[in-house]
Amino acid sequence: MQPLNYPSYPFRFKNRENKIYIFDVIRKKFVVLQPEEWVRQHVVHNLISDKNYPKAHINVEKQLLINNLKKRYDVVVFNPNGSIEILVECKSPETKIDQVVFDQIARYNLLLKAKYLMVTNGLDHFFCSMDFEREQYSFLKDIPEYRPG
């Protein structure tokens, strides 16, 4: 897999039936290593190792229903009270981050109401802070580190 704009992390791999798998520390299982999964695993390790978010607050690849359509978010970070702190949309490194990708995460966030949004293809990262009262968002340099309580 190609190098991404993240530090290097101690990933675990295995090879089975001519496929490479990567261990997901959140789902606690090996998953097929696809380009988008490579990005997702970097995001998860970044949140845990560099931003200090507890593993117990992170959820990966869960289904949600939007306009009667089944969709899946990539990564969500919950607050202890159950509200969503961060919603992350991961794309493969070949996918350009454009308005379509931002529209996708915005639709998800109408339902999830995350405080922060992150869109990444592993090479380019975009971070936003939501202001629901004014119905707008502001771009940030990065998402904040975990603050307990």
Side-chain angles (χ1 to χ4, degrees):
M1 286 282 150
Q2 80 179 80
L4 302 177
N5 286 334
Y6 282 103
S8 95
Y9 298 107
F11 295 116
R12 289 173 44 207
F13 300 96
K14 77 176 182 182
N15 200 327
R16 189 172 71 215
E17 298 169 7
N18 293 325
K19 288 184 184 171
I20 298 172
Y21 292 75
I22 188 168
F23 189 76
D24 183 324
V25 296
I26 303 301
R27 292 179 274 186
K28 296 183 175 77
K29 66 179 186 177
F30 282 93
V31 294
V32 176
L33 181 58
Q34 302 282 352
E36 186 177 308
E37 189 64 46
W38 182 235
V39 173
R40 185 171 21 255
Q41 292 306 313
H42 277 80
V43 167
V44 166
H45 282 261
N46 177 258
L47 289 168
I48 295 166
S49 301
D50 303 322
K51 299 295 182 185
N52 301 311
Y53 285 92
K55 282 184 204 174
H57 292 203
I58 300 172
N59 212 318
V60 174
E61 283 249 289
K62 292 290 185 203
Q63 185 173 292
L64 59 147
L65 206 58
I66 298 177
N67 298 327
N68 292 322
L69 298 172
K70 291 179 182 177
K71 302 289 184 182
R72 284 190 172 278
Y73 61 71
D74 286 305
V75 181
V76 160
V77 178
F78 289 95
N79 288 307
N81 68 7
S83 66
I84 297 176
E85 181 77 0
I86 305 167
L87 171 61
V88 183
E89 180 60 32
C90 300
K91 296 296 183 188
S92 72
E94 299 80 38
T95 302
K96 185 175 184 285
I97 304 297
D98 58 14
Q99 191 60 50
V100 173
V101 177
F102 279 101
D103 291 347
Q104 178 185 1
I105 198 169
R107 277 192 306 278
Y108 290 6
N109 207 37
L110 287 173
L111 180 68
L112 298 174
K113 305 274 189 249
K115 188 173 177 180
Y116 299 100
L117 303 179
M118 175 181 174
V119 177
T120 181
N121 62 7
L123 304 172
D124 298 312
H125 319 295
F126 297 92
F127 312 96
C128 301
S129 173
M130 298 301 301
D131 182 340
F132 291 103
E133 284 183 20
R134 294 192 184 120
E135 296 184 347
Q136 63 187 33
Y137 56 88
S138 309
F139 281 97
L140 306 170
K141 287 185 176 91
D142 203 347
I143 52 171
E145 285 194 28
Y146 176 70
R147 293 177 306 275

